[in-house]
Amino acid sequence: MSNPDPISVFRTEANEMLELIEAGLLDLTRSLDDRDQIDAVFRGLHTLKGSGAMFGFDALAAFTHHCETAFDRVRKGDVPATQELVAAVLAAQDHMRALLERPNGDHDATSAALLADLQCAVNGGAAPAASVAQPAAPAGADAPAGRRTWRIRFSLPANAMANGTNPLGLLDEMRDLGECRIVADSSRVPDFLMLDPREIHLVWDVTLTTERPRADIEDVFIFVMDEMALEITDLTSARPAMPPATVVADVPATNPVVAEREPAPIQAANDSRQNKSAENVRVPAERLDEMMDRVGELVIAQSRLTQLAGAAADLGLRSVSEEIERLSGELRDTMMVLRMMPVASLFSRFRRLVHDLSRETGKEIELVTEGEGTEVDKTVIDRLADPLVHLVRNAIDHGLERPEERLAAGKPAKGRVILSARQTGGEVIITIKDDGRGISRERVRAKAEASGLIQPGATLVDQELLQLIFQPGFSTAQQVTNLSGRGVGMDVVKKTVEALRGAIDISSRPGEGSEVALRIPLTLAIIEGLLVRVGQGCYVIPLPAVEECLELSLEDDLRSRGRSFISLRESLVPFIRLRELFRTGTQPDPHQKVVVISTGAERVGLVVDQIIGDHQTVIKSMSKLHHDVVTFSGATILGDGSVALILDVTHLVAVGQQQEAQLRAAG
C-alpha cells in the first residue's frame, strides 16, 4: 500500500482547521468579548500559517499572517473585536480556501482587496495608517526596542522524538536569534532501571539576549506549541537568578508558538489529547464504500448458504450456517455504524450561511439547531447539503420579514430559523421551520393557474396546493434577487430527496411561518426488509415502515370490493391490492394478508398473497430504463439468485391516500 501524499494530508487537515476557525468566528459574533474564542481563532490562524509555510504554501502562509496579526492585536487588547472585523476575517477565510486549493493561481487582486477591508476593520473604519501586517505593538511586547533579555523555559512531551521532534534543532534555532545560555533541568529523569531511552524527561531553561521581538521566539516553537509546556518571561527590567541545574551546552532553539502554562498540568492535558488522537483513524470515504459493497455481497452469499442449509439434513452444515449468519449480521451492523455521521456536521455549515444572509438582506436572524446528535448515513448527509441550502435561503428570503415589518405585526424583530433532526424507526426527519409570514395560498394558486399547472378553479386539498411550489420553474417572488425568484432550486430539492427514497411534507400558517420536513431513510446500503409474495413474484417492504400484518379472508375481500378499506381499531385504513396494481394475472390465495405500512401519520394496507419473512436486503439501484418506475425504489438479490423488487413505501402510501380521498369525494 502506497504512503499517503503529504500535500493531500495537509490539505485535509487545513480544511478542518479552516472549519474550526469559521466556527470560532461565528461563535464570536454572539459574544465579542469572549476571550476563549478570540484565543481559539488566533491559535487556529497561527497553526494554519505555520503549517502552510512548512508545506510550501507560501501565499497561504503570507496571507494568513495578516489575519493572525489582526487577531493578535485583539488578543492583546490593542483593538476591540467588532462585527466588521469578524466579517472581514470570514471573507478572508474563504480566500484562504482558494489559496489552499489553487496555490499557484492569480490571487493578488483579491488578496489586496481583502487585506484592505481587514485593515479598515482593524482601524475601526478609519483610513489605515500602517499595514495590518505591521501593527503597532505595545511597549515591551513585540516591538524590537533595543536588546532585551528573555527567559524561555520549556519541556516537550515524552514521545516527542518518536513523533519526529528534535530538541537540539529547537535549541539551534534559538541560538540563531542572539546570545543564549542553555541549562538542562534533569530533576524529572527517572532511575536508570526505569529509564526509557526513547523518551524525553529534560526541562530546558534558556536565557536569550536578542534584538528580535518576542514573536520570533514564539515562532521557534510553532509546530510543537500545542504539545508542549512553554514559558517566556521578559528579564530586561528584573532579572531573577537562574535555578541550579546541569549545564548542557550553548545550544539553541526552534520555531513559533506560545503558551504560558504550568508544565505539569499541560503535560497531562497534552498526553490526554494525544491518547484521544491515537484512538481515531482517518479513512478515505471510498474505502468505506468499497467495504460496504463487500459486506453486501457477503450478506447475499450468507442468504444463499442459509437456504441451502435449510434444505439439507446435515446438522453440522446448519450449525455453520447459523454461525455465519450471526457473524455477517454483526459485521453488517458494525459497517453501518462506521458509515453513520451526526447531522451536526451538516447543520454547522448553515451558521455561516445565515450570518452572511443576515448582513446581505438586513434582516435579524437567529439560527437554532436541534437534534444535532442524530446519525445518518454519510452518503445521505453529502446529498442533503444542497437541498437544505435552498430551503434555508428560501425561508430567509420568502419567509422572514424585515425587522420593521415584524415589529408592526407584533413579532420580535429577530426572525428565527430552526433546523432540527430526529429519528423515527428507519428514517430520519429533518425539519426547516421559520416564524415568518407563511406561504400565501392565493399567490401559489394564481401562479399555478397562470403557468398552466392547474385548471382555474380546480379543487385541491391544502397539501396538494403547497406541493406545487416544488414544480420546475415555480416561484411566487415578485422580483428576482441574489437569493431566489428564478424558479429554480425547489424542484431540485424534491428530485434529490426522492432520489434518496425520501419524501417532503410541507405546512404553513399565514402570519406564523412555514415548516418543511424531509423524511429520509437512515441508510442507502443495507436495510431490514419484509419479504412477501404477490402472484409468482417476490417483493421487499422496508421493515421500519411496517406497522402490523393482518389476514384478509375471502369474505372480507369480496365485501370490500369498490371501497378498499379495512377497519383497524375503530379507524378506516385504505388498502391497495398489489396483485391488481402489478397486473399479475393470477388468482388470489385463499388466505391473503394485509401489511399495514405508514409514513408518519399516514397509513395504508398492502394486500399480498404470502408473507415469507424478514430479509436482510442489500439495495441495488434500478437501471436507467426503469428510472420512471416510481412504485419501486430498488432491487435486491435473493438467496436463490432471483431478483426481488423493493417497494417504494412513500409512493404507495400516497397512492392509497389518493384513492381514499377519491372514494370519500365520490361518497
Side-chain angles (χ1 to χ4, degrees):
M1 183 179 295
S2 60
N3 294 326
D5 179 16
I7 299 300
S8 177
V9 173
F10 164 71
R11 280 197 168 104
T12 299
E13 295 181 349
N15 277 313
E16 293 177 356
M17 183 59 64
L18 286 169
E19 290 177 2
L20 292 175
I21 292 171
E22 180 177 277
L25 290 168
L26 294 172
D27 287 338
L28 195 57
T29 58
R30 301 177 181 177
S31 178
L32 293 173
D33 57 352
D34 189 334
R35 296 294 307 175
D36 291 338
Q37 292 299 335
I38 293 173
D39 291 341
V41 172
F42 171 77
R43 287 194 301 270
L45 293 168
H46 189 64
T47 303
L48 183 63
K49 179 192 77 171
S51 301
M54 182 174 70
F55 284 93
F57 289 76
D58 296 333
L60 172 64
F63 182 80
T64 307
H65 174 69
H66 295 280
C67 299
E68 176 205 15
T69 305
F71 255 84
D72 189 36
R73 295 189 65 187
V74 175
R75 188 171 62 106
K76 294 175 179 177
D78 297 346
V79 296
T82 61
Q83 296 287 356
E84 290 71 22
L85 175 60
V86 172
V89 179
L90 279 171
Q93 183 245 0
D94 292 337
H95 186 55
M96 293 174 198
R97 293 185 186 274
L99 292 171
L100 178 66
E101 298 301 326
R102 303 185 303 279
N104 298 322
D106 185 9
H107 303 287
D108 293 344
T110 304
S111 297
L114 290 172
L115 291 179
D117 293 341
L118 177 63
Q119 189 171 350
C120 185
V122 170
N123 292 326
S131 173
V132 173
Q134 298 175 346
D142 289 340
R147 292 170 63 83
R148 308 186 70 84
T149 300
W150 305 86
R151 178 190 177 188
I152 303 102
R153 180 177 174 86
F154 70 95
S155 63
L156 298 171
N159 62 349
M161 289 193 295
N163 291 334
T165 300
N166 184 358
L168 296 181
L170 302 179
L171 297 172
D172 285 337
E173 289 190 45
M174 268 193 283
R175 173 181 287 172
D176 295 338
L177 296 178
E179 301 174 6
C180 70
R181 177 174 177 267
I182 301 170
V183 176
D185 180 356
S186 59
S187 60
R188 296 185 182 178
V189 178
D191 294 337
F192 180 77
L193 295 178
M194 303 294 295
L195 179 64
D196 186 343
R198 297 168 298 181
E199 296 184 348
I200 298 177
H201 301 284
L202 296 176
V203 178
W204 284 274
D205 260 308
V206 181
T207 304
L208 175 64
T209 302
T210 179
E211 295 181 355
R212 307 287 285 274
R214 175 182 176 134
D216 287 357
I217 302 174
E218 298 173 358
D219 285 346
V220 170
F221 303 95
I222 188 169
F223 299 114
V224 292
M225 154 69 106
D226 293 336
E227 301 175 355
M228 66 179 297
L230 175 63
E231 299 177 24
I232 300 178
T233 308
D234 187 356
L235 302 181
T236 303
S237 55
R239 184 171 180 175
M242 294 291 291
T246 303
V247 176
V248 175
D250 288 340
V251 210
T254 76
N255 229 344
V257 178
V258 200
E260 299 174 355
R261 302 168 248 178
E262 292 298 325
I266 287 195
Q267 185 66 46
N270 289 332
D271 290 343
S272 174
R273 182 165 56 245
Q274 290 167 1
N275 292 336
K276 182 177 180 180
S277 299
E279 296 172 357
N280 298 311
V281 178
R282 192 186 304 276
V283 179
E286 296 79 10
R287 294 186 183 179
L288 286 179
D289 294 338
E290 184 178 350
M291 184 68 177
M292 194 71 237
D293 291 339
R294 298 294 181 271
V295 172
E297 297 299 328
L298 176 63
V299 168
I300 294 174
Q302 171 266 316
S303 178
R304 174 64 173 161
L305 177 61
T306 301
Q307 185 174 3
L308 292 175
D314 190 341
L315 296 180
L317 178 60
R318 292 187 181 184
S319 176
V320 172
S321 174
E322 292 174 358
E323 182 68 11
I324 292 179
E325 182 177 3
R326 180 184 65 83
L327 293 174
S328 64
E330 292 177 355
L331 180 60
R332 178 206 62 186
D333 294 339
T334 301
M335 195 62 225
M336 296 301 300
V337 171
L338 290 179
R339 290 172 58 96
M340 303 298 273
M341 295 176 59
V343 295
S345 60
L346 178 62
F347 286 0
S348 61
R349 308 178 190 182
F350 297 98
R351 298 177 60 198
R352 174 67 185 281
L353 175 67
V354 171
H355 172 272
D356 292 346
L357 292 180
S358 177
R359 294 177 62 87
E360 181 178 343
T361 61
K363 299 177 180 179
E364 298 181 23
I365 309 169
E366 177 186 8
L367 176 66
V368 179
T369 57
E370 301 172 350
E372 296 97 327
T374 305
E375 293 188 334
V376 191
D377 190 287
K378 173 190 69 69
T379 305
V380 174
I381 286 184
D382 292 342
R383 296 186 187 178
L384 280 182
D386 289 342
L388 285 181
V389 167
H390 286 300
L391 293 174
V392 171
R393 289 167 69 95
N394 272 5
I396 292 174
D397 189 36
H398 290 300
L400 297 183
E401 311 94 333
R402 293 188 173 276
E404 58 272 14
E405 297 177 30
R406 294 182 61 86
L407 291 174
K411 298 181 179 180
K414 179 177 290 187
R416 172 176 286 196
V417 175
I418 301 176
L419 274 175
S420 64
R422 71 182 190 276
Q423 180 181 342
T424 58
E427 65 181 7
V428 62
I429 302 177
I430 298 178
T431 304
I432 303 91
K433 184 179 181 180
D434 67 78
D435 63 348
R437 59 173 62 91
I439 299 176
S440 171
R441 272 72 169 176
E442 292 76 15
R443 291 175 61 183
V444 170
R445 175 177 285 277
K447 179 66 177 180
E449 291 178 354
S451 303
L453 295 175
I454 60 174
Q455 294 297 324
T459 302
L460 297 176
V461 298
D462 191 60
Q463 189 62 217
E464 291 176 336
L465 182 64
L466 294 178
Q467 288 287 337
L468 291 174
I469 67 174
F470 294 104
Q471 293 294 323
F474 192 92
S475 176
T476 59
Q478 296 178 349
Q479 60 182 2
V480 175
T481 68
N482 292 334
L483 297 184
S484 58
R486 294 176 174 84
V488 296
M490 297 301 281
D491 62 317
V492 176
V493 171
K494 184 176 182 180
K495 290 178 180 178
T496 303
V497 171
E498 289 179 346
L500 292 171
R501 304 196 312 276
I504 303 177
D505 298 330
I506 184 170
S507 61
S508 178
R509 293 184 178 181
E512 298 182 16
S514 303
E515 179 176 331
V516 179
L518 310 182
R519 312 177 71 91
I520 307 294
L522 285 174
T523 179
L524 303 178
I526 299 177
I527 62 171
E528 289 286 350
L530 184 67
L531 189 62
V532 300
R533 180 179 61 82
V534 179
Q536 301 299 320
C538 291
Y539 303 88
V540 175
I541 304 173
L543 198 57
V546 176
E547 284 197 353
E548 57 186 300
C549 300
L550 308 171
E551 184 169 332
L552 182 67
S553 64
L554 183 59
E555 293 77 10
D556 292 337
D557 186 21
L558 294 175
R559 188 182 306 116
S560 62
R561 291 288 174 177
R563 299 187 63 85
S564 300
F565 288 92
I566 56 173
S567 178
L568 186 62
R569 287 184 291 278
E570 299 182 357
S571 65
L572 292 178
V573 176
F575 64 82
I576 304 171
R577 294 176 175 83
L578 294 183
R579 188 181 63 262
E580 296 178 359
L581 181 65
F582 299 156
R583 300 178 183 177
T584 62
T586 60
Q587 294 298 317
D589 280 19
H591 303 285
Q592 299 180 83
K593 305 296 187 296
V594 179
V595 181
V596 180
I597 60 175
S598 69
T599 56
E602 307 295 340
R603 295 189 299 173
V604 70
L606 304 178
V607 179
V608 302
D609 290 324
Q610 180 186 3
I611 297 176
I612 299 175
D614 64 326
H615 183 269
Q616 291 184 6
T617 303
V618 181
I619 302 174
K620 302 292 185 180
S621 301
M622 303 282 283
S623 69
K624 293 182 178 180
L625 295 176
H626 302 90
H627 178 71
D628 296 331
V629 182
V630 295
T631 308
F632 308 109
S633 59
T636 187
I637 302 175
L638 301 179
D640 59 359
S642 62
V643 175
L645 297 175
I646 303 172
L647 300 182
D648 188 326
V649 172
T650 303
H651 173 74
L652 291 175
V653 169
V655 170
Q657 295 298 321
Q658 184 178 8
Q659 290 182 1
E660 178 187 8
Q662 292 174 350
L663 289 173
R664 292 184 185 277

